[in-house]
Amino acid sequence: MSTSPAKGTPPVHDDRFVRRLVRRETSASRSASVVVAMTIVVLVAVTLATAAVAVLLGQRIAGVDPRDLVDAAVRAPAGLTGAVVVAVGAVLALLGLWSLLHGLLPARRPRHVLRSDRLGVVVDDEVLASAAARAARSATRLAPEAAVGSVGRRTLDVVLLPASGVDVDQASAAAAVDRELAAVDVVPPVTARVRVRPTGRVDG
């Protein structure tokens, strides 16, 4: 007896479906930021609406006339120095610019994509860094704790920490790391850099 896929389920080889999944796994969610921003907007809107209704009805809020608060806010800049006004304006402008860029620029998770003809494969940057460090250790016969890797968006750094007095073939380590990267073929591609810390370690 054969079973058919559920209605509406995209096939495995659907490129658009795979790309959508990969984009979701590599992009950070902005849900928390959106909730905070919307909460602030709602609170400000409710406050302004409440003040407007109080003014129309001639009522006070907690014993304060909203019109007095507006008049005080309008008169406040006149009692401040020009430098303070400019500083406050600059801070508000920076906050607005940060909010705009935070909403428009892509936010990524520390992950990379592995090239595949049929599947969407995503690997954590920590796993990629560990694999590169392991390749460098194998090529130089160093101890497990003698190599540390870190991955950025387009760079991969491997730092070798040999014991004091031990010579390390940096070229062999770099070649091993390049072979490891060529085998996994990550997207976006990363450029590897292998360094040997000159101070070394003291084992004992």
Side-chain angles (χ1 to χ4, degrees), residues 113-116 128 179-189:
V113 181
L114 305 186
R115 294 186 190 273
S116 175
L128 189 60
R179 288 194 298 270
E180 184 73 19
L181 291 179
V184 295
D185 195 12
V186 296
V187 178

Side-chain angles (χ1 to χ4, degrees), residues 11-15 17-19 21-22 113-122:
V12 177
H13 60 273
D14 189 339
D15 291 340
F17 176 63
V18 172
R19 286 197 299 268
L21 287 179
V22 169
V113 181
L114 305 186
R115 294 186 190 273
S116 175
D117 294 334
R118 296 188 57 187
L119 301 176
V121 184
V122 179

Side-chain angles (χ1 to χ4, degrees), residues 148-173:
V148 180
S150 62
V151 178
R153 178 62 173 170
R154 294 186 178 274
T155 59
L156 186 152
D157 287 328
V158 176
V159 179
L160 303 179
L161 309 171
S164 297
V166 176
D167 293 330
V168 174
D169 189 350
Q170 184 175 351
S172 298

Side-chain angles (χ1 to χ4, degrees), residues 19-191:
R19 286 197 299 268
R20 188 161 59 248
L21 287 179
V22 169
R23 184 167 58 251
R24 186 181 66 182
E25 292 299 322
T26 55
S27 301
S29 175
R30 292 191 176 91
S31 300
S33 301
V34 171
V35 170
V36 172
M38 293 304 299
T39 301
I40 295 175
V41 170
V42 170
L43 290 177
V44 172
V46 170
T47 301
L48 293 178
T50 303
V53 172
V55 170
L56 290 176
L57 298 179
Q59 301 293 324
R60 290 174 174 266
I61 300 176
V64 178
D65 190 341
R67 288 171 294 190
D68 294 339
L69 294 178
V70 174
D71 293 339
V74 172
R75 292 193 303 267
L80 300 176
T81 62
V84 174
V85 175
V86 171
V88 173
V91 171
L92 294 177
L94 289 176
L95 289 176
L97 179 61
W98 178 85
S99 300
L100 179 63
L101 294 178
H102 185 70
L104 295 179
L105 296 180
R108 62 175 295 270
R109 294 178 178 178
R111 298 175 179 176
H112 279 73
V113 181
L114 305 186
R115 294 186 190 273
S116 175
D117 294 334
R118 296 188 57 187
L119 301 176
V121 184
V122 179
V123 60
D124 287 339
D125 286 353
E126 291 183 0
V127 176
L128 189 60
S130 178
R134 184 173 61 251
R137 289 197 307 266
S138 299
T140 54
R141 300 184 182 275
L142 292 175
E145 67 278 5
V148 180
S150 62
V151 178
R153 178 62 173 170
R154 294 186 178 274
T155 59
L156 186 152
D157 287 328
V158 176
V159 179
L160 303 179
L161 309 171
S164 297
V166 176
D167 293 330
V168 174
D169 189 350
Q170 184 175 351
S172 298
V177 172
D178 288 339
R179 288 194 298 270
E180 184 73 19
L181 291 179
V184 295
D185 195 12
V186 296
V187 178
V190 296
T191 301

